Amino acid sequence: MTNPDLIDQCKREGFVQKIKDEEGEGCNIHGSLEVNKVAGNFHFSLGKSFHQSNVHLHELLAFQKDIYNISHKINRLAFGDYFPGVVNPLDGVQWVQETSNGIYQYFIKVVPTIYADIRGRTIRSNQFSVTEHFKNLELGRPQSPPGVYFFYDLSPIKVTFKEGHMSFLHFVTYLCAIIGGIFTVAGIVDSFVYHGQKALKKKIELGKFR
């Protein structure tokens, strides 16, 4: 079916006109969601979604243009609360579509993280690494609709960061190591200068240096 005007429901509910009114517009999405601690995905795709027989579907995609622009910019994406030193690799990432229809995929590895500051306050959060992939859609084959997909998986390893003061004994040892290094370098330089002057003086005395 390529002509939605032949469908009474489309004419009655004005879906086609809504699509025409929104042509060329983009979306600014902000929010949060809770997920189970198992591998999964979330995505941003075109069309109105609904579930039927435990299947996730997008309606009215067949009535839109043949080329779907999924260019996007991620201002911030985090898995959990902020803690000092955390780096979210997708913050500020931008991608511009230059080819035909496709799916842009982010494969994310989430690492559970515990941060304990010097006052004993504990923050349970996550870090993550990511790889990216663009997949062209082949016409005539059943597949996911064009969109931006985030596939995440949790690492079995947990990372713990702890703040702490340097003990006085540790500080003294560190200071002695620095002083010892300075004296060692100074001794090497002094020895080099001394032996250089001695060799030069000997050559002058033998008349080999003018």
Side-chain angles (χ1 to χ4, degrees), residues 26-33 43-45 73-76 150:
C27 300
N28 188 10
I29 302 173
H30 175 273
S32 62
L33 55 92
H43 60 272
F44 303 95
S45 188
K73 179 180 180 180
I74 303 174
N75 294 314
R76 182 173 183 270
F150 298 83

Side-chain angles (χ1 to χ4, degrees), residues 57-75:
L57 301 173
H58 291 257
E59 67 177 353
L60 294 181
L61 283 178
F63 303 142
Q64 300 184 35
K65 288 185 176 181
D66 294 333
I67 297 178
Y68 306 95
N69 190 339
I70 57 172
S71 300
H72 59 276
K73 179 180 180 180
I74 303 174
N75 294 314

Side-chain angles (χ1 to χ4, degrees), residues 47-206:
K48 183 178 180 181
S49 64
F50 63 97
H51 286 81
Q52 182 175 354
S53 300
N54 295 324
V55 178
H56 183 74
L57 301 173
H58 291 257
E59 67 177 353
L60 294 181
L61 283 178
F63 303 142
Q64 300 184 35
K65 288 185 176 181
D66 294 333
I67 297 178
Y68 306 95
N69 190 339
I70 57 172
S71 300
H72 59 276
K73 179 180 180 180
I74 303 174
N75 294 314
R76 182 173 183 270
L77 178 65
F79 285 80
D81 297 329
Y82 170 83
F83 62 89
V86 65
V87 176
N88 297 318
L90 286 180
D91 289 359
V93 169
Q94 184 172 358
W95 181 78
V96 178
Q97 179 174 330
E98 298 178 351
T99 59
S100 58
N101 291 342
I103 298 173
Y104 204 81
Q105 301 170 315
Y106 293 97
F107 298 94
I108 300 172
K109 191 69 173 182
V110 182
V111 181
T113 303
I114 298 177
Y115 179 86
D117 64 17
I118 201 167
R119 299 178 180 177
R121 186 170 64 99
T122 299
I123 301 175
R124 295 183 178 273
S125 188
N126 299 279
Q127 303 178 86
F128 67 92
S129 60
V130 62
T131 57
E132 307 171 22
H133 177 68
F134 177 75
K135 178 182 178 182
N136 284 310
L137 294 182
E138 300 179 12
L139 296 177
R141 297 186 59 183
Q143 50 200 335
S144 300
V148 183
Y149 290 73
F150 298 83
F151 299 90
Y152 60 88
D153 190 12
L154 274 73
S155 170
I157 300 175
K158 180 181 292 184
V159 177
T160 301
F161 294 105
K162 289 185 178 181
E163 288 184 350
H165 285 299
M166 182 184 294
S167 66
F168 179 74
L169 182 60
H170 191 185
F171 171 75
V172 172
T173 303
Y174 182 71
L175 184 62
C176 290
I178 294 176
I179 296 175
I182 294 174
F183 273 102
T184 300
V185 173
I188 294 173
V189 173
D190 179 70
S191 177
F192 177 78
V193 172
Y194 171 77
H195 288 290
Q197 289 181 342
K198 187 176 180 181
L200 183 61
K201 184 177 180 180
K202 188 174 182 180
K203 289 183 178 181
I204 293 175
E205 292 175 351
L206 295 175

